[in-house]
Structure formats: structure tokens, C-alpha cells
Amino acid sequence: MDINKYTPKYRFRQKDLLSLADLTTEEIFEFLYTAKALKKRFRVGENKPILRDKTIALLFGNASTRTRITFEMGIRQLGGNYLFLPKNETQLARGESIKDTAVMLGRYGIAALVLRAFTEAQVEEFARYSTIPVINGISDETHPLQILSDLFTIWEQKGRFDDLKIAYIGDGNNVANSLIMGCTKVNMDVAIASPHGYSPSRSIVERGMQFGNVLITDDIAEAVRGADIVYTDVFISMSDEDDEEKKQKLARYRVTPAVMRLAKDDALFMHCMPAHRGEEVAAEVIDGDQSIVYDQAENRLHINKAALALLLGKK
Ligand code: CP
């Protein structure tokens, strides 16, 4: 389905946003069109107070720059309030159950809950017991808001999804998993180059293959050849222990100018950030003309606002 021929309804009928695996192509398009409308209003200084009298809880288990700031600023821009709850300052850190926490947050008048740095099973448990919408702000296995923001950025930059190829180089982590789900659902081809033992999980790859073309290889050139977008992420995710052996295996999976030359001439470079220059990406690439990493990061604001607007039934 061509996004440019799709008529948005600015509506989302599910209670939660947990994983792109749960979304149809049309639902992904709803997020992207809603973000586009909210970005337009933001640019002309006409944010509607659609979250007036609403308080959103941000329950975060690890450090964050983009996710935290874009939710806090987005909620303010839409006239709402937020409660920032570091997980280790709640009773969850001392063993209180997810069920008890989830039930109580709804009873206190919280309108929606954003979770960061829980396992996929814990995110699902929150959603099961919560009467309010639950948004997955990153889990060990998925990063749905990041990839919605990335798809929005690709649509802005390339004007379409059909016939595009994205090549992801590096660790087969939560970002790679969500790229497989999100990109195949909008009709992009996906190629992932990772060293043996660090590819995305087989179940995710098989699921992605139900929607589109997914190539898994350890050969960077095979993945990048003909790519419209080259994407990478850190070698060691926040949920992982520092691991020298892993870093050594990934060392040759750095996106360098030579790697970018294997892609199409007008290929773009993407990274969800934070980035480590000289590790997974060369400074000349991330700071070069093909890089759109700051557009990606900006669009986190508009996608997060879209997620709140759609889940709370406002526009
Ligand atoms: N990409 C991303 O989630 O950034 P933060 O870790 O800064 O939130």
C-alpha cells in the first residue's frame, strides 16, 4: 500500500502501543500522518492543548536523552502534565509487583503510562493489568517509537517507502528487530549485516519475512549494495553488559565512507543515537552530508506526541 495514496483517519483503536508487530500497515500510516499534522502545527506555533487536564507517567528504568526530553516537551506543548518516575525510586526496585503498580497508576488518575527499559514480558504484563494506555518507550527486544520516527523521517526525505532498501549494519538488537517489523510492513526491503551470533532473533526475522524481503548476512557489501538507507546503532545496548568479545567481533561492522560508497549515490545515513564516533560509525559519515540523524532525533518529538494523541483519542 502506497502511503501517499492512503487517506488518514487520525484514529487508532488499540489500547496500547507495545510493538510494531501488533500494528497493521494502515495503523503505522496513522501514526505517521498524525505526526506530520502535529509537526506542521509545532512549526507554526499552533499546538492545540489536546492533553489539557491529562497527566502522563514516565516510568523509566535507564538513562535517556531523546525519549525523556521529547515526551516531557511534547506533553507540555500539548497542554498536559507529566510525572517522571525513575524506576529505582519506586517500590518496583524493592520487588513490588508489576500488577500492583499498574492497577494503582490507573486509580490515581494517570492518563497513560510510558515505560522505558523493561523486558518485553514486563511491558506486556503492565499492559495486561493496566486500565490506561501503555506505551513501550524501549524494551530489551523492541524500540517501536524510534522506528516510527525513523519511518516518518524516511517518508519526509524520500517521499515514499515502495522500492526502498534499508541496510542495517551491526548488532542485531532491539532497533534492528523493530526495523525488520516496521520496514517490511511499509513495503521496504531490509538487509541486516551482523557477525555470526549477533543477528536479530530468528522468530523476528521469520515474522518480518511474512510481510516483505529480509536478508540476513554477515557480508556488509551484500547488505549495503543498492541500499537507499544505511543504518547502524551502538555495539553494546544499555540493557547489555559491556562485552569485549562482542565489541571485537563487531569492530569491522563500522559504517565508514567506504561502506557508504557501496550504497546508492543518494543513500542516507541513519542512527537512532546516542552514537559513538569511531566505533560503530566513522565521524565523516555521521557528520557528513548524507547523515539525517538530527532529523530522526527531532522527529521523536512529533511521533511521541502522535502516540499520545492517538492512544488518548485526541487530535
Ligand atoms: N534513541 C533513543 O532512544 O535515545 P535515548 O536513549 O536518548 O532516549
Side-chain angles (χ1 to χ4, degrees), residues 87-108:
K87 179 184 167 191
N88 63 6
E89 291 179 24
T90 71
Q91 297 288 8
L92 281 166
R94 297 178 65 242
E96 185 163 26
S97 75
I98 285 176
K99 177 184 174 187
D100 293 350
T101 310
V103 171
M104 284 180 301
L105 285 171
R107 300 262 181 126
Y108 294 151

mmCIF file of all heavy atoms in Angstrom, residues 87-108:
data_model
loop_
_atom_site.group_PDB
_atom_site.id
_atom_site.type_symbol
_atom_site.label_atom_id
_atom_site.label_comp_id
_atom_site.label_asym_id
_atom_site.label_seq_id
_atom_site.Cartn_x
_atom_site.Cartn_y
_atom_site.Cartn_z
ATOM 1 N N LYS A 87 12.529 4.365 37.854
ATOM 2 C CA LYS A 87 12.102 3.060 38.392
ATOM 3 C C LYS A 87 12.753 2.776 39.746
ATOM 4 O O LYS A 87 12.100 2.275 40.663
ATOM 5 C CB LYS A 87 12.485 1.969 37.384
ATOM 6 C CG LYS A 87 12.122 0.574 37.816
ATOM 7 C CD LYS A 87 12.638 -0.429 36.796
ATOM 8 C CE LYS A 87 12.590 -1.835 37.320
ATOM 9 N NZ LYS A 87 13.315 -2.769 36.455
ATOM 10 N N ASN A 88 14.042 3.131 39.881
ATOM 11 C CA ASN A 88 14.737 2.771 41.133
ATOM 12 C C ASN A 88 14.320 3.650 42.315
ATOM 13 O O ASN A 88 14.767 3.431 43.426
ATOM 14 C CB ASN A 88 16.262 2.769 40.956
ATOM 15 C CG ASN A 88 16.799 4.131 40.598
ATOM 16 O OD1 ASN A 88 16.047 5.111 40.583
ATOM 17 N ND2 ASN A 88 18.086 4.198 40.296
ATOM 18 N N GLU A 89 13.436 4.630 42.067
ATOM 19 C CA GLU A 89 12.882 5.408 43.182
ATOM 20 C C GLU A 89 11.454 4.990 43.488
ATOM 21 O O GLU A 89 10.742 5.662 44.233
ATOM 22 C CB GLU A 89 12.944 6.907 42.861
ATOM 23 C CG GLU A 89 14.364 7.430 42.829
ATOM 24 C CD GLU A 89 14.438 8.908 42.486
ATOM 25 O OE1 GLU A 89 13.454 9.633 42.709
ATOM 26 O OE2 GLU A 89 15.502 9.313 41.979
ATOM 27 N N THR A 90 10.988 3.913 42.859
ATOM 28 C CA THR A 90 9.659 3.369 43.181
ATOM 29 C C THR A 90 9.850 2.025 43.900
ATOM 30 O O THR A 90 10.954 1.463 43.923
ATOM 31 C CB THR A 90 8.819 3.131 41.907
ATOM 32 O OG1 THR A 90 9.379 2.013 41.199
ATOM 33 C CG2 THR A 90 8.787 4.361 41.017
ATOM 34 N N GLN A 91 8.750 1.511 44.412
ATOM 35 C CA GLN A 91 8.825 0.227 45.125
ATOM 36 C C GLN A 91 9.064 -0.952 44.182
ATOM 37 O O GLN A 91 9.355 -2.056 44.633
ATOM 38 C CB GLN A 91 7.539 0.002 45.939
ATOM 39 C CG GLN A 91 7.314 1.028 47.039
ATOM 40 C CD GLN A 91 8.272 0.869 48.219
ATOM 41 O OE1 GLN A 91 9.210 0.079 48.175
ATOM 42 N NE2 GLN A 91 8.043 1.652 49.263
ATOM 43 N N LEU A 92 8.974 -0.701 42.862
ATOM 44 C CA LEU A 92 9.338 -1.764 41.903
ATOM 45 C C LEU A 92 10.772 -2.223 42.148
ATOM 46 O O LEU A 92 11.099 -3.403 42.011
ATOM 47 C CB LEU A 92 9.236 -1.244 40.468
ATOM 48 C CG LEU A 92 7.850 -1.154 39.838
ATOM 49 C CD1 LEU A 92 7.913 -0.313 38.569
ATOM 50 C CD2 LEU A 92 7.293 -2.535 39.534
ATOM 51 N N ALA A 93 11.634 -1.247 42.515
ATOM 52 C CA ALA A 93 13.048 -1.575 42.736
ATOM 53 C C ALA A 93 13.228 -2.474 43.949
ATOM 54 O O ALA A 93 14.270 -3.108 44.107
ATOM 55 C CB ALA A 93 13.846 -0.286 42.916
ATOM 56 N N ARG A 94 12.198 -2.511 44.825
ATOM 57 C CA ARG A 94 12.292 -3.357 46.027
ATOM 58 C C ARG A 94 11.353 -4.550 45.928
ATOM 59 O O ARG A 94 10.972 -5.147 46.919
ATOM 60 C CB ARG A 94 12.001 -2.524 47.268
ATOM 61 C CG ARG A 94 13.030 -1.402 47.461
ATOM 62 C CD ARG A 94 12.746 -0.525 48.657
ATOM 63 N NE ARG A 94 12.855 -1.254 49.906
ATOM 64 C CZ ARG A 94 11.831 -1.426 50.760
ATOM 65 N NH1 ARG A 94 10.634 -0.941 50.470
ATOM 66 N NH2 ARG A 94 11.999 -2.085 51.874
ATOM 67 N N GLY A 95 10.956 -4.862 44.698
ATOM 68 C CA GLY A 95 10.235 -6.106 44.486
ATOM 69 C C GLY A 95 8.723 -6.011 44.423
ATOM 70 O O GLY A 95 8.047 -7.043 44.321
ATOM 71 N N GLU A 96 8.151 -4.774 44.475
ATOM 72 C CA GLU A 96 6.689 -4.699 44.343
ATOM 73 C C GLU A 96 6.289 -5.203 42.959
ATOM 74 O O GLU A 96 7.014 -5.012 41.970
ATOM 75 C CB GLU A 96 6.194 -3.267 44.539
ATOM 76 C CG GLU A 96 4.668 -3.210 44.536
ATOM 77 C CD GLU A 96 4.096 -1.924 45.135
ATOM 78 O OE1 GLU A 96 4.784 -0.891 45.107
ATOM 79 O OE2 GLU A 96 2.958 -1.992 45.633
ATOM 80 N N SER A 97 5.118 -5.795 42.872
ATOM 81 C CA SER A 97 4.753 -6.453 41.616
ATOM 82 C C SER A 97 4.322 -5.435 40.559
ATOM 83 O O SER A 97 3.834 -4.339 40.877
ATOM 84 C CB SER A 97 3.621 -7.450 41.843
ATOM 85 O OG SER A 97 2.402 -6.767 42.024
ATOM 86 N N ILE A 98 4.497 -5.829 39.308
ATOM 87 C CA ILE A 98 4.040 -5.011 38.182
ATOM 88 C C ILE A 98 2.530 -4.874 38.232
ATOM 89 O O ILE A 98 1.978 -3.793 38.006
ATOM 90 C CB ILE A 98 4.528 -5.648 36.856
ATOM 91 C CG1 ILE A 98 6.028 -5.364 36.699
ATOM 92 C CG2 ILE A 98 3.734 -5.129 35.663
ATOM 93 C CD1 ILE A 98 6.685 -5.998 35.518
ATOM 94 N N LYS A 99 1.836 -5.959 38.588
ATOM 95 C CA LYS A 99 0.373 -5.911 38.648
ATOM 96 C C LYS A 99 -0.084 -4.811 39.608
ATOM 97 O O LYS A 99 -0.918 -3.961 39.263
ATOM 98 C CB LYS A 99 -0.166 -7.267 39.100
ATOM 99 C CG LYS A 99 -1.676 -7.266 39.267
ATOM 100 C CD LYS A 99 -2.178 -8.580 39.807
ATOM 101 C CE LYS A 99 -3.672 -8.466 40.099
ATOM 102 N NZ LYS A 99 -4.205 -9.632 40.785
ATOM 103 N N ASP A 100 0.447 -4.790 40.821
ATOM 104 C CA ASP A 100 0.012 -3.798 41.812
ATOM 105 C C ASP A 100 0.323 -2.383 41.336
ATOM 106 O O ASP A 100 -0.497 -1.472 41.479
ATOM 107 C CB ASP A 100 0.686 -4.062 43.166
ATOM 108 C CG ASP A 100 0.213 -5.364 43.795
ATOM 109 O OD1 ASP A 100 -0.761 -5.955 43.279
ATOM 110 O OD2 ASP A 100 0.833 -5.807 44.794
ATOM 111 N N THR A 101 1.498 -2.192 40.742
ATOM 112 C CA THR A 101 1.893 -0.861 40.247
ATOM 113 C C THR A 101 0.959 -0.425 39.126
ATOM 114 O O THR A 101 0.465 0.710 39.108
ATOM 115 C CB THR A 101 3.350 -0.889 39.743
ATOM 116 O OG1 THR A 101 4.169 -1.484 40.742
ATOM 117 C CG2 THR A 101 3.853 0.495 39.408
ATOM 118 N N ALA A 102 0.711 -1.316 38.191
ATOM 119 C CA ALA A 102 -0.120 -0.982 37.021
ATOM 120 C C ALA A 102 -1.539 -0.625 37.437
ATOM 121 O O ALA A 102 -2.118 0.361 36.960
ATOM 122 C CB ALA A 102 -0.132 -2.163 36.047
ATOM 123 N N VAL A 103 -2.117 -1.389 38.344
ATOM 124 C CA VAL A 103 -3.502 -1.130 38.781
ATOM 125 C C VAL A 103 -3.572 0.236 39.462
ATOM 126 O O VAL A 103 -4.457 1.054 39.181
ATOM 127 C CB VAL A 103 -3.995 -2.249 39.717
ATOM 128 C CG1 VAL A 103 -5.338 -1.871 40.342
ATOM 129 C CG2 VAL A 103 -4.118 -3.568 38.966
ATOM 130 N N MET A 104 -2.612 0.519 40.341
ATOM 131 C CA MET A 104 -2.676 1.775 41.110
ATOM 132 C C MET A 104 -2.524 3.004 40.240
ATOM 133 O O MET A 104 -3.196 4.014 40.455
ATOM 134 C CB MET A 104 -1.610 1.760 42.197
ATOM 135 C CG MET A 104 -2.007 0.886 43.362
ATOM 136 S SD MET A 104 -0.768 0.879 44.618
ATOM 137 C CE MET A 104 0.651 0.273 43.763
ATOM 138 N N LEU A 105 -1.647 2.959 39.241
ATOM 139 C CA LEU A 105 -1.436 4.141 38.399
ATOM 140 C C LEU A 105 -2.749 4.594 37.758
ATOM 141 O O LEU A 105 -3.041 5.791 37.685
ATOM 142 C CB LEU A 105 -0.380 3.850 37.321
ATOM 143 C CG LEU A 105 1.053 3.810 37.827
ATOM 144 C CD1 LEU A 105 1.998 3.299 36.748
ATOM 145 C CD2 LEU A 105 1.518 5.196 38.266
ATOM 146 N N GLY A 106 -3.558 3.657 37.347
ATOM 147 C CA GLY A 106 -4.864 3.997 36.769
ATOM 148 C C GLY A 106 -5.790 4.615 37.808
ATOM 149 O O GLY A 106 -6.536 5.555 37.527
ATOM 150 N N ARG A 107 -5.739 4.104 39.044
ATOM 151 C CA ARG A 107 -6.627 4.613 40.110
ATOM 152 C C ARG A 107 -6.265 6.041 40.516
ATOM 153 O O ARG A 107 -7.085 6.747 41.096
ATOM 154 C CB ARG A 107 -6.522 3.706 41.339
ATOM 155 C CG ARG A 107 -6.913 2.273 41.059
ATOM 156 C CD ARG A 107 -8.331 1.991 41.477
ATOM 157 N NE ARG A 107 -8.662 0.612 41.206
ATOM 158 C CZ ARG A 107 -9.133 -0.230 42.118
ATOM 159 N NH1 ARG A 107 -9.319 0.170 43.364
ATOM 160 N NH2 ARG A 107 -9.433 -1.457 41.777
ATOM 161 N N TYR A 108 -5.020 6.467 40.266
ATOM 162 C CA TYR A 108 -4.586 7.802 40.687
ATOM 163 C C TYR A 108 -4.887 8.873 39.628
ATOM 164 O O TYR A 108 -4.480 10.018 39.777
ATOM 165 C CB TYR A 108 -3.075 7.808 40.977
ATOM 166 C CG TYR A 108 -2.674 6.949 42.158
ATOM 167 C CD1 TYR A 108 -1.420 6.362 42.218
ATOM 168 C CD2 TYR A 108 -3.558 6.732 43.220
ATOM 169 C CE1 TYR A 108 -1.051 5.574 43.299
ATOM 170 C CE2 TYR A 108 -3.187 5.940 44.295
ATOM 171 C CZ TYR A 108 -1.940 5.360 44.330
ATOM 172 O OH TYR A 108 -1.572 4.577 45.392
#
